[in-house]
Amino acid sequence: MAQRPAAEITSDWPEESREAAQLVVDKYGEPQEATDSYLIWHAPGPWKRMVASKDFDEHLFPAPHNDSVQSVLDYRVPPEKVSDLARFDGSVVVDRTQGEISARCHDEEANNLALNLMHDVATGAKTVEEARAYYAKEFADYRRGEPTPYMEKLRFTAVSDAADPDERILSDEDLAEAQREGERKKG
């Protein structure tokens, strides 16, 4: 548990980030870790971790809003799909080595929407263009009071063994030879 209450930590945060952080506190309670700039929850709900930050980013897709709450999952993105995900939504971040995917938006519901559509793009169920169009539709439907199934909950299951350490291409001998070449250049 954080030593200081979240409300005290966020009291000098910009209103946009303070409000977004409070939504997480209201749902999941006080964070397990806190600094002057971050509140961190470990394993809240379906997430591996959630992070609320003092700093926020202006995000124009699909309409102007601020991003300051990150929701993280274990998820293996096929390397050939990473550029598609970058084109889909700049707030969706792939960490291939750690096997994590995250979305950073204003609230958990928007992160659900982004990550559900990320999954659709990563699995080929939707193209980037279809995912962007659906994101805009559901974003507007939320304001209309219409059903928003992609915002309600995750529609896929995170995996526990998603890390991808990549493939080694330099052998120990290659490294030793490079070291010897470097020493010869110095000497």
Side-chain angles (χ1 to χ4, degrees), residues 47-51 69-73 101-105 107-108 111-112 115:
W47 309 108
K48 179 177 185 176
R49 140 181 102 256
M50 287 186 80
V51 180
V69 173
Q70 180 185 33
S71 299
V72 181
L73 292 171
I101 188 85
S102 67
R104 186 167 188 257
C105 208
D107 55 37
E108 183 176 22
N111 289 342
N112 282 339
L115 290 173

Side-chain angles (χ1 to χ4, degrees), residues 77-127:
V77 173
E80 65 276 7
K81 292 292 188 174
V82 174
S83 61
D84 287 344
L85 295 179
R87 287 186 307 117
F88 159 60
D89 184 347
S91 293
V92 171
V93 177
V94 176
D95 186 327
R96 179 177 163 198
T97 303
Q98 287 189 347
E100 291 182 344
I101 188 85
S102 67
R104 186 167 188 257
C105 208
H106 175 265
D107 55 37
E108 183 176 22
E109 291 76 17
N111 289 342
N112 282 339
L113 175 59
L115 290 173
N116 281 325
L117 288 166
M118 170 284 306
H119 179 72
D120 284 354
V121 171
T123 60
K126 283 185 175 40
T127 66

Side-chain angles (χ1 to χ4, degrees), residues 120-162:
D120 284 354
V121 171
T123 60
K126 283 185 175 40
T127 66
V128 170
E129 295 74 21
E130 290 168 339
R132 287 177 65 85
Y134 186 87
Y135 193 115
K137 176 194 177 309
E138 193 151 311
F139 196 90
D141 283 350
Y142 179 79
R143 281 152 186 77
R144 291 183 189 109
E146 298 291 326
T148 53
Y150 273 52
M151 293 178 98
E152 291 172 9
K153 64 180 182 173
L154 290 174
R155 300 167 57 91
F156 63 94
T157 304
V159 297
S160 59
D161 185 24

